[in-house]
Amino acid sequence: MNPSPNLFLIGPTGAGKTSVGRRLAARLELPFLDLDREIETQTGVDVPTIFDIEGEAGFRQREAAMLDELSQRHPIVLATGAGAVLDADNRRRLAERGFVLWLDVGVDQQIQRLQHDTQRPLLASADRRQRLLDMALARTPLYRDLANLRVPGHDEPVERASERTLHLLDTHWARTPTHSPSP
């Protein structure tokens, strides 16, 4: 158990961090934030544009700064980007400031869920499957080490996945109260 008022969602691209996170936040009556959306709001442009202008390194710097800011708020449910775990400081902040929930899906599920997605810069590859396999090889050990709870993905609607996740959280997350919610 990792007692905390915050719930942080990690996992690969297409795991459902935003979709499930929104539903969890509503059921838990907590504010929901999506790290990538917050970066877009701050910059006034979408993530692909940031990648085009600043490259992945520039995006990762923005991501780390925004993660630092958002993870200090409480109580919140925060959906991180799939690559946020690549940075050691991000991992430390997530571990210290919240309960970390890993939504785990395999490459076949990712392929199916992302088949029509053309907006993710890191998936712009002639061999999307190989790109996802490479990312999984680098990131899965980080997700595993960081997570307080792993929720394996199933081929199910978001509503059912959210209910299953809520049930697991009830038995694994010692949610600590907070007296004044922050926006």
Side-chain angles (χ1 to χ4, degrees):
M1 292 257 185
N2 177 11
S4 175
N6 293 332
L7 179 62
F8 301 141
L9 284 76
I10 63 171
T13 302
K17 296 178 296 293
T18 299
S19 299
V20 170
R22 271 198 187 98
R23 285 168 176 78
L24 294 177
R27 289 288 302 277
L28 296 167
E29 298 179 346
L30 295 174
F32 173 75
L33 298 167
D34 179 282
L35 185 58
D36 286 350
R37 297 302 79 76
E38 295 297 317
I39 293 168
E40 290 177 341
T41 299
Q42 180 187 58
T43 62
V45 298
D46 62 14
V47 169
T49 301
I50 296 170
F51 267 78
D52 287 345
I53 295 169
E54 300 178 358
E56 184 175 358
F59 173 77
R60 295 293 175 209
Q61 288 176 343
R62 290 182 181 278
E63 180 180 60
M66 184 61 68
L67 178 65
D68 183 32
E69 177 186 327
L70 297 178
S71 65
Q72 292 182 61
R73 298 181 187 181
H74 58 82
I76 62 168
V77 174
L78 175 66
T80 67
V85 299
L86 295 170
D87 181 88
D89 287 333
N90 288 348
R91 293 192 305 274
R92 180 186 51 76
R93 289 179 183 116
L94 290 168
E96 290 175 355
R97 299 175 183 172
F99 184 87
V100 181
L101 176 67
W102 172 23
L103 298 183
D104 186 19
V105 295
V107 170
D108 288 337
Q109 286 176 298
Q110 288 178 279
I111 294 286
Q112 180 184 1
R113 293 177 181 186
L114 300 168
Q115 63 185 331
H116 301 294
D117 188 313
T118 59
Q119 296 300 307
R120 299 173 198 250
L122 292 178
L123 295 183
S125 169
D127 189 347
R128 187 175 267 201
R129 175 176 292 283
Q130 188 58 54
R131 180 68 178 134
L132 290 168
L133 286 167
D134 292 344
M135 288 192 295
L137 184 65
R139 297 173 181 183
T140 299
L142 302 174
Y143 297 141
R144 184 180 301 112
D145 289 346
L146 181 58
N148 297 112
L149 176 63
R150 175 184 169 262
V151 178
H154 297 292
D155 188 17
E156 62 190 351
V158 172
E159 295 80 15
R160 185 160 178 198
S162 300
E163 288 300 318
R164 185 167 51 89
T165 302
L166 276 168
H167 175 72
L168 290 168
L169 285 171
D170 282 344
T171 59
H172 291 87
W173 179 27
R175 183 175 165 196
T176 57
T178 181
H179 298 288
S180 57
S182 60

